[in-house]
Amino acid sequence: MRRLLALGLVVLAAMLVAPAPARAADRGSYTVSGLGSRKQAVLNNGGTVLDLAIAMLETERMTTDYTYGDGKSGDAANFGIFKQNWYMIRQSVSQYSGYGPNEWNAGAALNSNLSWDIQVRHAAQNKWGEYTWFAGHRNGQTGLSNPNTQDIANYRNAVYWIRDQINSSSRYRTDDTRFWVNVPAI
């Protein structure tokens, strides 16, 4: 009896000390009418599942109907369905290589040309590699200089979680399911 009581106390103590299981309150999914056709448009214009995940994290409908420049200017201004920052855009493709931070309005071309938006994102990822691309995408030139912050890791992991959900069933590439992760805007 004493052994059973001692074992019970050990189990109870372990339960009190053990960390609580992770909650999924910071991520999930829901239906957005018409999202499936937008996913198909991205894929039909050369996009990948990773592109779907990035766009899905950035906007509910994977569109550019957010505040112009995402309410930012200069190198921080964001464009396209991925909300690519002007710094990364102008550093990634030759069309913008001679532009400076103050010529950020040229990035608006990504808002109305999905194929170009995807090409620019791929060019940026090809230039820096996927791991470092996340740093620059999340935090511009500062992120490229310091790619190992917790905030950048959280963003990258959120995109990967969404990508993994989409990859879990082929239907998620064509249906109206939106996956989300709560990542603070910067």
Side-chain angles (χ1 to χ4, degrees):
M1 181 71 163
R2 267 190 176 178
R3 271 191 178 159
L4 189 57
L5 182 59
L7 181 61
L9 290 174
V10 168
V11 170
L12 179 61
M15 289 171 55
L16 293 173
V17 174
R23 295 182 325 180
D26 67 337
R27 62 195 63 212
S29 66
Y30 59 92
T31 300
V32 176
S33 180
L35 191 62
S37 62
R38 186 61 172 167
K39 291 176 185 179
Q40 283 296 246
V42 171
L43 295 172
N44 291 342
N45 277 280
T48 65
V49 172
L50 183 62
D51 292 325
L52 294 178
I54 296 163
M56 203 175 286
L57 179 63
E58 292 294 346
T59 68
E60 182 178 54
R61 298 188 173 281
M62 297 170 45
T63 62
T64 60
D65 61 354
Y66 51 88
T67 303
Y68 183 78
D70 204 20
K72 302 171 186 177
S73 61
D75 278 342
N78 295 321
F79 299 100
I81 66 169
F82 310 109
K83 292 189 175 181
Q84 299 181 78
N85 65 67
W86 178 237
Y87 179 80
M88 293 289 281
I89 294 168
R90 68 188 183 85
Q91 297 296 319
S92 300
V93 293
S94 60
Q95 179 173 335
Y96 302 118
S97 65
Y99 288 70
N102 292 330
E103 297 166 295
W104 58 277
N105 285 302
L110 279 67
N111 289 347
S112 58
N113 186 333
L114 181 59
S115 178
W116 180 238
D117 188 12
I118 292 167
Q119 289 175 53
V120 171
R121 201 204 75 70
H122 290 181
Q125 183 175 313
N126 288 339
K127 178 175 178 132
W128 285 288
E130 187 173 305
Y131 182 87
T132 305
W133 173 87
F134 274 106
H137 179 67
R138 180 68 175 163
N139 207 11
Q141 190 172 14
T142 302
L144 292 172
S145 299
N146 189 11
N148 298 313
T149 68
Q150 189 61 54
D151 176 69
I152 292 167
N154 291 345
Y155 182 87
R156 182 184 311 109
N157 291 335
V159 170
Y160 285 158
W161 183 84
I162 293 170
R163 179 205 57 196
D164 292 347
Q165 304 315 298
I166 296 168
N167 278 332
S168 72
S169 173
S170 61
R171 74 182 172 102
Y172 293 135
R173 293 183 193 135
T174 59
D175 73 0
D176 289 343
T177 303
R178 177 183 186 241
F179 294 99
W180 62 273
V181 177
N182 186 15
V183 176
I186 55 171

